[in-house]
């Protein structure tokens, strides 16, 4: 093909009509995307309301409300969130392969939800809410619409921020064993995070903040023990006496 022929071909491929057609396609895609995003944001606003109500229930734990009552008050909002995530999944099923295109619209709320669920689970069981359990509580399916791993991990970091406050209030209420139990839990969680090769991003910064929660729990546990308030001795001390 001669130079003049190639130039003519190139010119015809970018004719005003072809450019208009291309931008016409862009317009439709953006319009469709805008409609989907508006529907998602409407759901996210409902999520935010459910989260606020859930937080208002959980905060009562710091006022010595029994764990069973806090769990009962929070259970309804968990069901609400489960239904909202189901509706979100239905919206995303209309645009397969676009999960991470819209993920930013609900990731902050999801991180907060994970932190609340993990805190409630610890209050109830003393154990970590694992990723699969968090998905099940929210009715998520990894094969279709799962819980993003970073959202889960960031949620755990947020959850650790709540432990020192809870422990202080428990000590004030006379529960002197709580610091030791919370400290062991957070030590295990912190050491598990060390397995990960975290980049210098938001997750890394949140994880770095966990060490301050750990330090605070160590200080509370030390104060309780130095005052002889703890009813039970650490296992290593019992073994030493034996």
């Amino acid at each position: 093909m001669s130079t003049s022929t190639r130039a003519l071909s190139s010119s015809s491929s970018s004719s005003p009509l072809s450019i208009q057609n291309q931008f016409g396609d862009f317009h439709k895609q953006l319009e469709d995307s805008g409609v989907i995003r508006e529907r998602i944001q409407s759901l996210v606003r409902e999520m935010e309301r459910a989260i606020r109500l859930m937080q208002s229930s959980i905060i009562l734990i710091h006022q010595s409300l029994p764990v069973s009552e806090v769990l009962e008050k929070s259970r309804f909002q968990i069901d609400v969130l489960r239904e909202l995530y189901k509706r979100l999944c239905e919206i995303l099923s209309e645009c397969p392969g676009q999960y991470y295109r819209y993920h930013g619209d609900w990731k902050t709320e999801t991180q907060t939800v994970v932190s609340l669920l993990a805190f409630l689970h610890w209050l109830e069981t003393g154990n970590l809410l694992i990723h699969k359990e968090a998905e099940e509580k929210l009715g998520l399916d990894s094969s279709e619409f799962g819980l993003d791993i970073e959202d889960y991990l960031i949620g755990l970091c947020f959850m650790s921020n709540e432990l020192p406050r809870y422990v202080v209030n428990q000590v004030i209420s006379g529960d002197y064993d709580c610091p030791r139990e919370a400290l062991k839990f957070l030590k295990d969680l912190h050491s598990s995070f060390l397995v990960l090769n975290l980049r210098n991003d938001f997750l890394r910064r949140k994880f770095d903040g966990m060490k301050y929660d750990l330090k605070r729990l160590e200080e509370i546990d030390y104060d309780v023990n130095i005052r002889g308030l703890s009813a039970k001795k650490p296992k290593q001390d019992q073994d030493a006496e034996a």
Side-chain angles (χ1 to χ4, degrees):
M1 183 182 293
S2 66
T3 302
S4 60
T5 303
R6 287 198 299 272
L8 180 61
S9 175
S10 175
S11 175
S12 63
S13 66
S14 59
S15 66
L17 181 59
S18 65
I19 292 175
Q20 289 177 1
N21 290 338
Q22 173 184 257
F23 277 80
D25 291 340
F26 290 165
H27 174 73
K28 185 178 186 309
Q29 291 174 24
L30 290 173
E31 285 287 313
D32 293 344
S33 178
V35 170
I36 290 173
R37 179 155 276 124
E38 287 177 3
R39 293 168 63 193
I40 290 174
Q41 290 174 348
S42 177
L43 281 179
V44 169
R45 286 191 290 271
E46 293 187 56
M47 284 183 185
E48 290 171 347
R49 182 175 183 277
I51 289 169
R52 287 194 299 271
L53 292 173
M54 193 170 169
Q55 288 171 324
S56 69
S57 298
I58 294 176
I59 201 171
L60 296 175
I61 198 69
H62 299 299
Q63 301 174 16
S64 300
L65 191 73
V67 172
S68 59
E69 290 188 35
V70 172
L71 292 171
E72 184 62 32
K73 288 178 177 293
S74 301
R75 192 164 289 120
F76 177 75
Q77 298 307 325
I78 294 174
D79 291 340
V80 171
L81 287 166
R82 186 184 181 95
E83 178 61 27
L84 291 173
Y85 276 102
K86 178 183 177 182
R87 288 162 57 189
L88 183 57
C89 181
E90 291 171 353
I91 293 175
L92 291 177
S93 67
E94 300 173 15
C95 48
Q98 299 293 310
Y99 178 93
Y100 284 104
R101 180 175 185 175
Y102 301 104
H103 172 241
D105 290 336
W106 70 80
K107 71 176 182 179
T108 299
E109 289 71 26
T110 299
Q111 292 161 8
T112 302
V113 169
V114 169
S115 72
L116 298 175
L117 292 177
F119 185 53
L120 288 172
H121 187 78
W122 179 77
L123 289 173
E124 186 176 19
T125 69
N127 298 319
L128 177 67
L129 177 73
I130 64 173
H131 182 266
K132 184 65 177 177
E133 290 172 331
E135 285 190 319
E136 290 173 353
K137 285 181 180 292
L138 296 175
L140 302 180
D141 184 346
S142 296
S143 63
E144 298 178 6
F145 181 159
L147 173 60
D148 181 82
I149 293 175
E150 287 199 8
D151 289 345
Y152 168 74
L153 294 174
I154 291 171
L156 296 184
C157 292
F158 285 148
M159 176 261 191
S160 83
N161 301 156
E162 201 68 25
L163 292 177
R165 180 186 178 191
Y166 173 73
V167 168
V168 167
N169 288 318
Q170 287 300 106
V171 170
I172 292 173
S173 299
D175 182 357
Y176 303 123
D177 293 325
C178 183
R180 184 184 66 254
E181 295 164 358
L183 179 58
K184 181 183 184 306
F185 169 79
L186 195 56
K187 278 183 175 179
D188 291 342
L189 181 59
H190 185 270
S191 64
S192 297
F193 264 88
L194 293 175
V195 175
L196 306 176
N197 182 23
L198 299 178
R199 303 184 300 276
N200 187 23
D201 57 8
F202 184 71
L203 174 55
R204 177 58 192 243
R205 292 194 298 273
K206 295 309 299 180
F207 168 63
D208 287 343
M210 191 185 290
K211 66 183 178 184
Y212 297 106
D213 301 323
L214 188 58
K215 182 175 184 295
R216 180 64 178 136
L217 288 182
E218 288 173 340
E219 291 171 348
I220 298 169
D221 186 55
Y222 175 79
D223 285 344
V224 167
N225 281 290
I226 203 69
R227 296 170 189 272
L229 298 174
S230 180
K232 300 177 183 178
K233 294 183 179 180
K235 186 177 186 304
Q236 57 266 33
D237 291 349
Q238 295 176 6
D239 293 342
E241 291 180 0

